[in-house]
Amino acid sequence: MFVWNGLYPMSLDKATVASIATLARLRVPEDRLEPMVADLNAILGFVEQLNQVDTDGVEPLASVTGHSLPQREDAVTDGGYPDRVTANAPDGGNGFYAVPKVVE
Amino acid sequence: MAGILDLDLVAARDALRAREISSTELTSAYLSRIEATADLNAYITVTADKAQAMAKASDERLAKGEGGGLEGLPIAVKDLFCTEGVLTTAASHILDGFKPTYESTVTGNLWSAGAVMLGKTNLDEFAMGSSSATSYYGPPVNPWRGAQDSETRLVPGGSSGGSAAAVSGWAALAATGTDTGGSIRQPASLTGIVGMKPSYGRCSRWGIVAFASSLDQAGPMTRTVHDAAVMLSAMAGHDPKDSTSAAEPLPDLEATLDSGVKGLRIGVPAEYRVDGMPTEISEIWAKGIAWLKDAGAEIIDISLPHTQYALATYYIIAPAEASSNLARYDGVRYGLRVDGGSLDEMYANTRGEGFGAEVQRRVLIGTYVLSAGYYDAYYRKAQRVRTLIRRDFDEAFGKVDAILTPTAPSDAFAIGANEDDPVKMYLNDVFTVPASLAGLPGLSVPAGLSARGLPLGLQVLGRMFDEPMVLRVGRAIEKAATFTSRPAMLEGI
């Protein structure tokens, strides 16, 4: 298991950015990779200042309203119009989406 | 024509109700004005036919003495709100040709209140930016020009820059914006109009193209504080389709608008006096403080100790949520598809071509800070600092009723400026981001002109769900500032 040592990595290299791009399903052409590395390192360098803040024992904030999420009956409340749902598909028809062949 | 365009939203509402003007007349005047100001590039789509049909229907209702709170008033919509059957782009190539088959709750509320839709306004791609220059449709232009340099085209701020340009150039009576880290308030400041980000949860996010879901909030962009109160009343409301929408009832915002600030405690946070702040920004802030004091408010020095960490916190949380939200753009369900040898290649090609540079940066940063091993180091850490930022405000609001700060650290800058370094652009939101992270309501009111003759705004912040207080203090500043300056382009129309 990864245990954070309290320090941010100083900077990302090209190979790491290329692998993040793969995770994000984002094609970054070779000639754009180098400037992207510089930009991302500038941003990570900027956010590194959070290291200075003592957050021991501080709960993370995920909701600002303080409201608990509402519950509703587990019932179908919508649907039954596949043509409307798929109306904007770049490829498909008859209520289906078409994608490149996935299974040989 | 100038006469009818001269009316603000409330004046136009009253003139329509009194049958002194018709919605058809008013809407036609705005449609002509949109054509005349096409150079502003404020709109991505103009819905002229729809506007005329809606205006006609409004006139019929008005003739019968019927109609809602915004009956017959022509309004522009930031192109981040899904509008049924009308192109919705988020200013991104990846949403090419997307015509939603549904209407966002907020725009639906506006049309139910009788508003007339003029069109969809330009913005930063996926609302990520402070200049609106990342739009796939080219940058919108600020109607204002520098007094000594009338040639240089300036940004209207961002991300709701098209809405801001349209309202300040009179190409819309009012417009919707969305604000994630300052995207309503900063453009309002840079264009000399009023912009309000309500409390998180006030306006439904359903049908708004998502950027950072724990921060995104819709709000009005108008000529006056009163206009903002009227428009927000129509936009807001609980919506079961957005589980984060607040059930909190919205008070009558017009009722307390002119109650004044006598006896109110106004906080002035020490940490907002940032290094290198231009003198004219601190001067306009000092003026605002003096105005409220003269009107009977008690000025109290307060401290928001974690302010300096707000931007860094924001630039972890917002990209993290964005990378998750933008995973849906896969070339399968809507918009652009760029083919590839496999399904994965098709995804990567579509997203590589469909997203612009700033969106790609944020998707990559977000993916990184959420990835295994870095989640605790970045994302969790940022969420913990977010707690501290919220606590600062909670403590301050034990002592004060509202907080006064500048809205933006500068006046409008040239199109193309601040683009060499992404972090430089992020600094535009230094005064607006903290309240976004805390979920609090914020309002920008035009307060004066810079040495370059460009508008500067002041920001009023309030307690969670205390929009009436924010509007009331904003109205007091508006009254004292008597900001009547207009962009030179409005002279003689």
Side-chain angles (χ1 to χ4, degrees), chain A residues 2 8-9 12 20 24-27 32 39 49-50 52-53 55 58-61 64-65 70 84 88-90 97-98, chain B residues 98-99 101 200 243 308-309 331-335 337 344 348-349 351 360-361 368 373 377-378 381 383-384 387 390 437:
Chain A
F2 176 87
Y8 291 111
L12 302 175
I20 299 167
R25 300 291 182 274
L26 195 63
R27 192 176 67 87
R32 295 259 315 280
D39 285 346
Q49 54 179 299
L50 292 190
Q52 301 163 10
V53 189
T55 53
V58 179
E59 284 297 310
L61 182 73
V64 290
T65 51
R84 268 175 69 196
N88 279 286
Y97 297 114
Chain B
F98 175 56
K99 288 186 178 167
T101 52
Y200 182 83
S243 61
Q308 69 172 109
Y309 301 110
V332 173
R333 288 163 294 168
Y334 25 66
R337 170 183 289 195
D344 269 334
N349 290 345
R351 293 161 63 81
Q360 295 199 7
R361 279 193 282 269
Y368 178 62
Y378 287 105
K381 177 78 182 179
Q383 283 190 311
R384 290 182 209 279
T387 297
R390 171 61 185 259
L437 289 167

Short mmCIF file of all heavy atoms in Angstrom, two decimals, chain A residues 2 8-9 12 20 24-27 32 39 49-50 52-53 55 58-61 64-65 70 84 88-90 97-98, chain B residues 98-99 101 200 243 308-309 331-335 337 344 348-349 351 360-361 368 373 377-378 381 383-384 387 390 437:
data_model
loop_
_atom_site.label_atom_id
_atom_site.label_comp_id
_atom_site.label_asym_id
_atom_site.label_seq_id
_atom_site.Cartn_x
_atom_site.Cartn_y
_atom_site.Cartn_z
N PHE A 2 0.41 2.27 -0.71
CA PHE A 2 1.17 3.51 -0.79
C PHE A 2 1.04 4.27 0.52
O PHE A 2 -0.04 4.47 1.04
CB PHE A 2 0.64 4.37 -1.93
CG PHE A 2 1.28 5.72 -2.03
CD1 PHE A 2 2.45 5.90 -2.75
CD2 PHE A 2 0.71 6.82 -1.40
CE1 PHE A 2 3.02 7.15 -2.84
CE2 PHE A 2 1.29 8.08 -1.49
CZ PHE A 2 2.44 8.24 -2.21
N TYR A 8 5.54 16.24 -1.70
CA TYR A 8 5.07 16.07 -3.07
C TYR A 8 6.27 15.73 -3.95
O TYR A 8 7.38 16.18 -3.69
CB TYR A 8 4.43 17.36 -3.58
CG TYR A 8 3.13 17.68 -2.90
CD1 TYR A 8 3.03 18.77 -2.04
CD2 TYR A 8 2.01 16.89 -3.12
CE1 TYR A 8 1.82 19.07 -1.42
CE2 TYR A 8 0.82 17.18 -2.50
CZ TYR A 8 0.72 18.27 -1.65
OH TYR A 8 -0.47 18.56 -1.04
N PRO A 9 6.04 14.96 -5.00
CA PRO A 9 7.15 14.75 -5.93
C PRO A 9 7.53 16.10 -6.53
O PRO A 9 6.66 16.92 -6.80
CB PRO A 9 6.56 13.82 -6.99
CG PRO A 9 5.09 13.87 -6.81
CD PRO A 9 4.81 14.31 -5.42
N LEU A 12 6.87 16.27 -12.48
CA LEU A 12 6.50 15.15 -13.34
C LEU A 12 7.45 15.12 -14.54
O LEU A 12 7.87 16.16 -15.02
CB LEU A 12 5.07 15.36 -13.87
CG LEU A 12 3.96 15.49 -12.83
CD1 LEU A 12 2.64 15.81 -13.53
CD2 LEU A 12 3.84 14.22 -12.02
N ILE A 20 -0.34 9.48 -17.51
CA ILE A 20 -1.57 10.14 -17.01
C ILE A 20 -2.53 10.37 -18.19
O ILE A 20 -3.73 10.14 -18.08
CB ILE A 20 -1.25 11.50 -16.34
CG1 ILE A 20 -0.34 11.30 -15.12
CG2 ILE A 20 -2.53 12.20 -15.90
CD1 ILE A 20 0.26 12.62 -14.59
N ALA A 24 -6.34 9.15 -18.71
CA ALA A 24 -7.41 10.11 -18.98
C ALA A 24 -8.00 9.93 -20.38
O ALA A 24 -8.88 10.70 -20.77
CB ALA A 24 -6.89 11.54 -18.82
N ARG A 25 -7.54 8.93 -21.11
CA ARG A 25 -8.00 8.69 -22.50
C ARG A 25 -7.90 9.98 -23.32
O ARG A 25 -8.87 10.47 -23.87
CB ARG A 25 -9.44 8.17 -22.53
CG ARG A 25 -9.66 6.87 -21.79
CD ARG A 25 -9.00 5.69 -22.49
NE ARG A 25 -9.25 4.43 -21.80
CZ ARG A 25 -8.49 3.96 -20.78
NH1 ARG A 25 -7.45 4.64 -20.34
NH2 ARG A 25 -8.79 2.81 -20.23
N LEU A 26 -6.70 10.52 -23.32
CA LEU A 26 -6.46 11.80 -23.98
C LEU A 26 -5.20 11.66 -24.82
O LEU A 26 -4.12 11.40 -24.30
CB LEU A 26 -6.25 12.86 -22.89
CG LEU A 26 -6.33 14.33 -23.26
CD1 LEU A 26 -7.71 14.69 -23.75
CD2 LEU A 26 -6.01 15.18 -22.01
N ARG A 27 -5.35 11.81 -26.14
CA ARG A 27 -4.17 11.70 -27.00
C ARG A 27 -3.44 13.03 -27.00
O ARG A 27 -3.98 14.05 -27.42
CB ARG A 27 -4.57 11.33 -28.43
CG ARG A 27 -3.40 10.91 -29.32
CD ARG A 27 -3.88 10.47 -30.69
NE ARG A 27 -4.46 11.59 -31.43
CZ ARG A 27 -3.76 12.43 -32.19
NH1 ARG A 27 -2.47 12.27 -32.32
NH2 ARG A 27 -4.38 13.41 -32.83
N ARG A 32 3.44 18.02 -28.34
CA ARG A 32 2.71 18.81 -27.34
C ARG A 32 3.03 18.37 -25.92
O ARG A 32 2.64 19.02 -24.95
CB ARG A 32 1.21 18.69 -27.60
CG ARG A 32 0.73 19.28 -28.91
CD ARG A 32 0.11 20.65 -28.71
NE ARG A 32 -0.81 20.65 -27.58
CZ ARG A 32 -2.04 20.19 -27.64
NH1 ARG A 32 -2.54 19.72 -28.75
NH2 ARG A 32 -2.82 20.24 -26.55
N ASP A 39 3.71 23.00 -18.16
CA ASP A 39 2.49 23.60 -17.60
C ASP A 39 2.03 22.86 -16.35
O ASP A 39 1.68 23.48 -15.34
CB ASP A 39 1.35 23.58 -18.63
CG ASP A 39 1.53 24.62 -19.72
OD1 ASP A 39 2.38 25.53 -19.54
OD2 ASP A 39 0.83 24.53 -20.75
N GLN A 49 2.18 24.58 -2.02
CA GLN A 49 2.12 25.38 -0.79
C GLN A 49 1.16 24.80 0.25
O GLN A 49 1.27 25.14 1.44
CB GLN A 49 1.74 26.82 -1.12
CG GLN A 49 0.45 26.92 -1.92
CD GLN A 49 0.06 28.35 -2.23
OE1 GLN A 49 -0.17 29.12 -1.32
NE2 GLN A 49 0.01 28.68 -3.51
N LEU A 50 0.26 23.92 -0.15
CA LEU A 50 -0.67 23.34 0.83
C LEU A 50 0.08 22.51 1.86
O LEU A 50 -0.44 22.24 2.94
CB LEU A 50 -1.73 22.49 0.12
CG LEU A 50 -2.73 23.22 -0.75
CD1 LEU A 50 -3.85 22.30 -1.17
CD2 LEU A 50 -3.30 24.45 -0.04
N GLN A 52 2.29 23.48 3.65
CA GLN A 52 2.56 24.32 4.82
C GLN A 52 1.41 24.29 5.82
O GLN A 52 1.56 24.74 6.95
CB GLN A 52 2.76 25.79 4.39
CG GLN A 52 3.88 26.00 3.40
CD GLN A 52 3.75 27.36 2.71
OE1 GLN A 52 2.95 28.20 3.09
NE2 GLN A 52 4.58 27.57 1.69
N VAL A 53 0.24 23.81 5.40
CA VAL A 53 -0.94 23.89 6.27
C VAL A 53 -1.03 22.63 7.13
O VAL A 53 -1.00 21.51 6.62
CB VAL A 53 -2.23 24.05 5.45
CG1 VAL A 53 -3.41 24.34 6.37
CG2 VAL A 53 -2.09 25.15 4.41
N THR A 55 -3.05 20.09 8.78
CA THR A 55 -4.43 19.61 8.67
C THR A 55 -4.65 18.37 9.52
O THR A 55 -5.60 17.61 9.30
CB THR A 55 -4.79 19.31 7.20
OG1 THR A 55 -3.80 18.42 6.66
CG2 THR A 55 -4.87 20.55 6.36
N VAL A 58 -8.16 17.32 10.87
CA VAL A 58 -9.20 18.11 10.19
C VAL A 58 -9.95 17.21 9.22
O VAL A 58 -9.35 16.53 8.40
CB VAL A 58 -8.58 19.30 9.42
CG1 VAL A 58 -9.66 20.09 8.70
CG2 VAL A 58 -7.80 20.19 10.37
N GLU A 59 -11.27 17.20 9.33
CA GLU A 59 -12.08 16.38 8.42
C GLU A 59 -12.14 17.01 7.04
O GLU A 59 -12.24 18.23 6.92
CB GLU A 59 -13.52 16.27 8.97
CG GLU A 59 -13.68 15.31 10.12
CD GLU A 59 -13.36 13.87 9.72
OE1 GLU A 59 -13.90 13.40 8.70
OE2 GLU A 59 -12.55 13.22 10.43
N PRO A 60 -12.10 16.20 5.98
CA PRO A 60 -12.23 16.77 4.63
C PRO A 60 -13.64 17.30 4.40
O PRO A 60 -14.60 16.71 4.89
CB PRO A 60 -11.96 15.58 3.71
CG PRO A 60 -11.56 14.44 4.57
CD PRO A 60 -11.95 14.75 5.97
N LEU A 61 -13.74 18.40 3.66
CA LEU A 61 -15.05 18.99 3.35
C LEU A 61 -15.49 18.56 1.95
O LEU A 61 -14.82 18.84 0.98
CB LEU A 61 -14.97 20.52 3.41
CG LEU A 61 -16.27 21.27 3.16
CD1 LEU A 61 -17.22 21.15 4.33
CD2 LEU A 61 -16.02 22.75 2.89
N VAL A 64 -20.85 21.63 1.26
CA VAL A 64 -20.85 22.92 1.95
C VAL A 64 -22.17 23.27 2.61
O VAL A 64 -22.24 24.14 3.46
CB VAL A 64 -20.47 24.09 0.99
CG1 VAL A 64 -19.02 23.99 0.60
CG2 VAL A 64 -21.37 24.12 -0.21
N THR A 65 -23.24 22.59 2.21
CA THR A 65 -24.56 23.00 2.70
C THR A 65 -24.86 22.41 4.07
O THR A 65 -25.72 22.91 4.78
CB THR A 65 -25.68 22.54 1.74
OG1 THR A 65 -25.51 21.16 1.48
CG2 THR A 65 -25.65 23.33 0.45
N PRO A 70 -30.78 13.70 0.16
CA PRO A 70 -32.16 13.21 0.30
C PRO A 70 -32.30 11.77 -0.21
O PRO A 70 -31.56 11.35 -1.08
CB PRO A 70 -32.96 14.16 -0.59
CG PRO A 70 -31.98 14.69 -1.59
CD PRO A 70 -30.64 14.70 -0.91
N ARG A 84 -34.90 9.65 -27.99
CA ARG A 84 -34.48 10.96 -27.46
C ARG A 84 -33.12 10.87 -26.79
O ARG A 84 -32.29 11.76 -26.92
CB ARG A 84 -35.51 11.48 -26.45
CG ARG A 84 -36.58 12.34 -27.08
CD ARG A 84 -37.63 12.72 -26.07
NE ARG A 84 -37.12 13.65 -25.07
CZ ARG A 84 -37.73 13.89 -23.90
NH1 ARG A 84 -38.85 13.27 -23.60
NH2 ARG A 84 -37.22 14.76 -23.05
N ASN A 88 -28.45 12.44 -30.13
CA ASN A 88 -27.23 13.18 -30.45
C ASN A 88 -26.03 12.29 -30.76
O ASN A 88 -24.91 12.78 -30.89
CB ASN A 88 -26.88 14.13 -29.30
CG ASN A 88 -27.70 15.40 -29.35
OD1 ASN A 88 -27.46 16.28 -30.18
ND2 ASN A 88 -28.69 15.52 -28.48
N ALA A 89 -26.25 10.99 -30.84
CA ALA A 89 -25.13 10.07 -31.05
C ALA A 89 -24.47 10.32 -32.40
O ALA A 89 -25.16 10.45 -33.41
CB ALA A 89 -25.61 8.64 -30.96
N PRO A 90 -23.13 10.40 -32.44
CA PRO A 90 -22.45 10.58 -33.72
C PRO A 90 -22.66 9.38 -34.65
O PRO A 90 -22.59 9.52 -35.86
CB PRO A 90 -20.96 10.69 -33.34
CG PRO A 90 -20.91 10.85 -31.86
CD PRO A 90 -22.20 10.38 -31.30
N TYR A 97 -26.39 3.00 -29.65
CA TYR A 97 -25.14 3.68 -29.98
C TYR A 97 -24.25 2.71 -30.73
O TYR A 97 -24.22 1.53 -30.39
CB TYR A 97 -24.39 4.09 -28.69
CG TYR A 97 -25.10 5.09 -27.83
CD1 TYR A 97 -25.55 4.74 -26.56
CD2 TYR A 97 -25.29 6.40 -28.27
CE1 TYR A 97 -26.19 5.66 -25.75
CE2 TYR A 97 -25.92 7.33 -27.45
CZ TYR A 97 -26.37 6.94 -26.19
OH TYR A 97 -26.99 7.87 -25.39
N ALA A 98 -23.52 3.18 -31.70
CA ALA A 98 -22.56 2.32 -32.40
C ALA A 98 -21.15 2.72 -32.00
O ALA A 98 -20.82 3.90 -31.94
CB ALA A 98 -22.73 2.46 -33.90
N PHE B 98 -24.34 19.49 -30.62
CA PHE B 98 -25.17 18.93 -29.54
C PHE B 98 -26.42 19.77 -29.31
O PHE B 98 -26.35 20.93 -28.94
CB PHE B 98 -24.34 18.83 -28.26
CG PHE B 98 -25.13 18.38 -27.05
CD1 PHE B 98 -25.84 17.18 -27.06
CD2 PHE B 98 -25.16 19.16 -25.89
CE1 PHE B 98 -26.56 16.76 -25.95
CE2 PHE B 98 -25.88 18.75 -24.78
CZ PHE B 98 -26.58 17.55 -24.80
N LYS B 99 -27.58 19.15 -29.56
CA LYS B 99 -28.86 19.81 -29.27
C LYS B 99 -29.57 18.99 -28.21
O LYS B 99 -30.13 17.93 -28.52
CB LYS B 99 -29.70 19.92 -30.55
CG LYS B 99 -29.16 20.95 -31.51
CD LYS B 99 -30.09 21.16 -32.69
CE LYS B 99 -29.52 22.25 -33.59
NZ LYS B 99 -30.21 22.29 -34.90
N THR B 101 -32.10 17.26 -25.67
CA THR B 101 -33.52 16.92 -25.81
C THR B 101 -34.26 17.26 -24.51
O THR B 101 -35.34 16.75 -24.25
CB THR B 101 -33.68 15.42 -26.13
OG1 THR B 101 -32.94 14.66 -25.16
CG2 THR B 101 -33.13 15.10 -27.51
N TYR B 200 -24.25 27.95 -2.63
CA TYR B 200 -24.28 26.65 -3.29
C TYR B 200 -25.59 25.95 -2.92
O TYR B 200 -25.95 25.89 -1.74
CB TYR B 200 -23.08 25.80 -2.83
CG TYR B 200 -23.04 24.46 -3.52
CD1 TYR B 200 -22.48 24.34 -4.79
CD2 TYR B 200 -23.59 23.34 -2.92
CE1 TYR B 200 -22.47 23.12 -5.44
CE2 TYR B 200 -23.58 22.11 -3.56
CZ TYR B 200 -23.02 22.01 -4.82
OH TYR B 200 -23.02 20.79 -5.46
N SER B 243 -29.68 16.51 -6.38
CA SER B 243 -29.70 16.08 -4.97
C SER B 243 -28.97 17.07 -4.07
O SER B 243 -29.09 17.00 -2.85
CB SER B 243 -29.11 14.68 -4.83
OG SER B 243 -27.76 14.70 -5.26
N GLN B 308 -4.82 32.63 1.89
CA GLN B 308 -3.72 32.49 0.94
C GLN B 308 -3.63 31.08 0.34
O GLN B 308 -2.97 30.89 -0.68
CB GLN B 308 -2.39 32.86 1.59
CG GLN B 308 -1.94 31.86 2.65
CD GLN B 308 -0.53 32.14 3.14
OE1 GLN B 308 -0.31 32.58 4.26
NE2 GLN B 308 0.43 31.92 2.26
N TYR B 309 -4.31 30.11 0.96
CA TYR B 309 -4.27 28.74 0.44
C TYR B 309 -5.47 28.40 -0.44
O TYR B 309 -5.57 27.28 -0.95
CB TYR B 309 -4.16 27.75 1.60
CG TYR B 309 -2.93 27.99 2.45
CD1 TYR B 309 -3.03 28.49 3.73
CD2 TYR B 309 -1.67 27.74 1.92
CE1 TYR B 309 -1.90 28.74 4.49
CE2 TYR B 309 -0.53 27.98 2.67
CZ TYR B 309 -0.65 28.49 3.96
OH TYR B 309 0.48 28.72 4.68
N GLY B 331 -17.14 10.49 -27.35
CA GLY B 331 -17.37 10.31 -28.78
C GLY B 331 -18.46 9.30 -29.10
O GLY B 331 -18.64 8.92 -30.26
N VAL B 332 -19.18 8.83 -28.07
CA VAL B 332 -20.20 7.81 -28.29
C VAL B 332 -21.60 8.40 -28.24
O VAL B 332 -22.44 8.14 -29.10
CB VAL B 332 -20.08 6.67 -27.24
CG1 VAL B 332 -21.25 5.68 -27.37
CG2 VAL B 332 -18.75 5.94 -27.39
N ARG B 333 -21.85 9.24 -27.23
CA ARG B 333 -23.24 9.64 -26.97
C ARG B 333 -23.65 10.98 -27.55
O ARG B 333 -24.81 11.22 -27.81
CB ARG B 333 -23.49 9.59 -25.46
CG ARG B 333 -23.57 8.16 -24.97
CD ARG B 333 -23.41 8.06 -23.50
NE ARG B 333 -22.07 8.47 -23.09
CZ ARG B 333 -21.73 8.71 -21.83
NH1 ARG B 333 -22.63 8.61 -20.89
NH2 ARG B 333 -20.49 9.05 -21.53
N TYR B 334 -22.69 11.87 -27.71
CA TYR B 334 -23.03 13.17 -28.29
C TYR B 334 -21.76 13.85 -28.79
O TYR B 334 -20.65 13.50 -28.38
CB TYR B 334 -23.72 14.10 -27.28
CG TYR B 334 -23.42 13.81 -25.84
CD1 TYR B 334 -22.14 13.97 -25.33
CD2 TYR B 334 -24.41 13.33 -24.98
CE1 TYR B 334 -21.85 13.69 -24.00
CE2 TYR B 334 -24.13 13.04 -23.65
CZ TYR B 334 -22.85 13.22 -23.17
OH TYR B 334 -22.57 12.92 -21.88
N GLY B 335 -21.93 14.83 -29.64
CA GLY B 335 -20.83 15.68 -30.06
C GLY B 335 -19.87 15.01 -31.02
O GLY B 335 -20.22 14.16 -31.82
N ARG B 337 -16.89 12.93 -32.78
CA ARG B 337 -16.21 11.63 -32.72
C ARG B 337 -15.05 11.67 -33.71
O ARG B 337 -15.24 12.04 -34.86
CB ARG B 337 -17.15 10.49 -33.08
CG ARG B 337 -16.37 9.17 -33.26
CD ARG B 337 -17.23 8.00 -33.68
NE ARG B 337 -18.11 7.58 -32.58
CZ ARG B 337 -18.75 6.41 -32.59
NH1 ARG B 337 -18.61 5.57 -33.60
NH2 ARG B 337 -19.54 6.09 -31.58
N ASP B 344 -10.63 2.34 -27.43
CA ASP B 344 -9.78 3.22 -26.62
C ASP B 344 -9.13 4.31 -27.46
O ASP B 344 -9.02 5.45 -27.03
CB ASP B 344 -8.69 2.41 -25.91
CG ASP B 344 -9.16 1.96 -24.52
OD1 ASP B 344 -10.03 2.65 -23.96
OD2 ASP B 344 -8.66 0.94 -24.03
N ALA B 348 -9.49 8.39 -27.11
CA ALA B 348 -8.32 9.26 -26.95
C ALA B 348 -8.23 10.28 -28.08
O ALA B 348 -7.91 11.45 -27.85
CB ALA B 348 -7.04 8.43 -26.86
N ASN B 349 -8.52 9.84 -29.31
CA ASN B 349 -8.48 10.76 -30.44
C ASN B 349 -9.56 11.83 -30.33
O ASN B 349 -9.32 13.02 -30.59
CB ASN B 349 -8.66 9.99 -31.76
CG ASN B 349 -7.45 9.13 -32.08
OD1 ASN B 349 -6.38 9.30 -31.49
ND2 ASN B 349 -7.61 8.20 -33.01
N ARG B 351 -11.07 12.94 -27.61
CA ARG B 351 -10.80 13.85 -26.50
C ARG B 351 -9.57 14.72 -26.77
O ARG B 351 -9.53 15.89 -26.40
CB ARG B 351 -10.65 13.05 -25.20
CG ARG B 351 -11.97 12.41 -24.79
CD ARG B 351 -11.79 11.27 -23.80
NE ARG B 351 -11.21 11.69 -22.54
CZ ARG B 351 -11.88 12.27 -21.55
NH1 ARG B 351 -13.18 12.51 -21.68
NH2 ARG B 351 -11.28 12.60 -20.44
N GLN B 360 -7.50 20.32 -21.37
CA GLN B 360 -6.61 19.17 -21.29
C GLN B 360 -5.72 19.24 -20.05
O GLN B 360 -5.52 18.25 -19.36
CB GLN B 360 -5.73 19.09 -22.54
CG GLN B 360 -6.55 18.82 -23.79
CD GLN B 360 -5.72 18.28 -24.95
OE1 GLN B 360 -4.54 18.00 -24.81
NE2 GLN B 360 -6.35 18.16 -26.10
N ARG B 361 -5.18 20.45 -19.78
CA ARG B 361 -4.35 20.61 -18.58
C ARG B 361 -5.13 20.20 -17.34
O ARG B 361 -4.64 19.48 -16.48
CB ARG B 361 -3.93 22.08 -18.43
CG ARG B 361 -2.75 22.49 -19.29
CD ARG B 361 -2.18 23.83 -18.85
NE ARG B 361 -2.97 24.97 -19.30
CZ ARG B 361 -2.75 25.62 -20.45
NH1 ARG B 361 -1.77 25.26 -21.25
NH2 ARG B 361 -3.51 26.64 -20.79
N TYR B 368 -4.36 13.09 -12.33
CA TYR B 368 -3.17 12.83 -11.51
C TYR B 368 -3.49 12.90 -10.02
O TYR B 368 -3.16 12.00 -9.25
CB TYR B 368 -2.08 13.84 -11.87
CG TYR B 368 -0.82 13.71 -11.06
CD1 TYR B 368 -0.06 12.54 -11.10
CD2 TYR B 368 -0.37 14.75 -10.25
CE1 TYR B 368 1.10 12.41 -10.35
CE2 TYR B 368 0.78 14.63 -9.50
CZ TYR B 368 1.51 13.47 -9.55
OH TYR B 368 2.65 13.34 -8.81
N GLY B 373 -2.40 6.50 -5.03
CA GLY B 373 -1.13 6.94 -4.47
C GLY B 373 -1.06 8.44 -4.25
O GLY B 373 -0.33 8.90 -3.38
N ALA B 377 -2.56 12.62 -0.88
CA ALA B 377 -1.57 13.69 -0.87
C ALA B 377 -2.14 14.99 -1.43
O ALA B 377 -1.83 16.07 -0.94
CB ALA B 377 -0.35 13.28 -1.67
N TYR B 378 -2.96 14.88 -2.45
CA TYR B 378 -3.48 16.09 -3.08
C TYR B 378 -4.96 16.32 -2.78
O TYR B 378 -5.33 17.33 -2.18
CB TYR B 378 -3.30 16.00 -4.61
CG TYR B 378 -1.88 16.17 -5.06
CD1 TYR B 378 -1.13 15.08 -5.49
CD2 TYR B 378 -1.28 17.43 -5.10
CE1 TYR B 378 0.18 15.24 -5.93
CE2 TYR B 378 0.03 17.59 -5.53
CZ TYR B 378 0.76 16.50 -5.95
OH TYR B 378 2.03 16.66 -6.38
N LYS B 381 -6.02 16.20 0.96
CA LYS B 381 -5.36 17.34 1.61
C LYS B 381 -6.12 18.63 1.28
O LYS B 381 -6.43 19.44 2.15
CB LYS B 381 -3.91 17.43 1.13
CG LYS B 381 -3.13 18.61 1.67
CD LYS B 381 -2.66 18.39 3.08
CE LYS B 381 -1.91 19.59 3.63
NZ LYS B 381 -1.46 19.38 5.00
N GLN B 383 -9.21 18.93 0.39
CA GLN B 383 -10.52 18.93 1.05
C GLN B 383 -10.41 19.30 2.52
O GLN B 383 -11.32 19.91 3.08
CB GLN B 383 -11.17 17.55 0.92
CG GLN B 383 -11.76 17.28 -0.45
CD GLN B 383 -12.59 16.01 -0.42
OE1 GLN B 383 -12.14 14.98 0.08
NE2 GLN B 383 -13.79 16.08 -0.95
N ARG B 384 -9.29 18.94 3.14
CA ARG B 384 -9.08 19.30 4.55
C ARG B 384 -8.84 20.81 4.67
O ARG B 384 -9.37 21.47 5.58
CB ARG B 384 -7.90 18.54 5.15
CG ARG B 384 -8.17 17.07 5.34
CD ARG B 384 -6.97 16.37 5.97
NE ARG B 384 -6.89 14.98 5.59
CZ ARG B 384 -7.60 14.01 6.15
NH1 ARG B 384 -8.43 14.28 7.12
NH2 ARG B 384 -7.49 12.77 5.72
N THR B 387 -12.00 22.67 4.51
CA THR B 387 -12.68 22.74 5.82
C THR B 387 -12.19 23.95 6.60
O THR B 387 -12.99 24.68 7.20
CB THR B 387 -12.40 21.46 6.63
OG1 THR B 387 -12.94 20.35 5.93
CG2 THR B 387 -13.01 21.54 8.02
N ARG B 390 -13.58 27.17 5.19
CA ARG B 390 -14.97 27.35 5.57
C ARG B 390 -15.08 27.78 7.05
O ARG B 390 -15.87 28.65 7.40
CB ARG B 390 -15.73 26.04 5.32
CG ARG B 390 -17.15 26.00 5.88
CD ARG B 390 -18.06 27.08 5.27
NE ARG B 390 -19.34 27.07 5.92
CZ ARG B 390 -20.44 26.51 5.41
NH1 ARG B 390 -20.40 25.96 4.22
NH2 ARG B 390 -21.56 26.52 6.06
N LEU B 437 -15.26 28.08 -2.39
CA LEU B 437 -14.91 26.87 -1.65
C LEU B 437 -15.81 26.71 -0.43
O LEU B 437 -16.15 25.60 -0.03
CB LEU B 437 -13.44 26.92 -1.22
CG LEU B 437 -12.43 26.76 -2.35
CD1 LEU B 437 -11.03 27.14 -1.87
CD2 LEU B 437 -12.43 25.32 -2.89
#
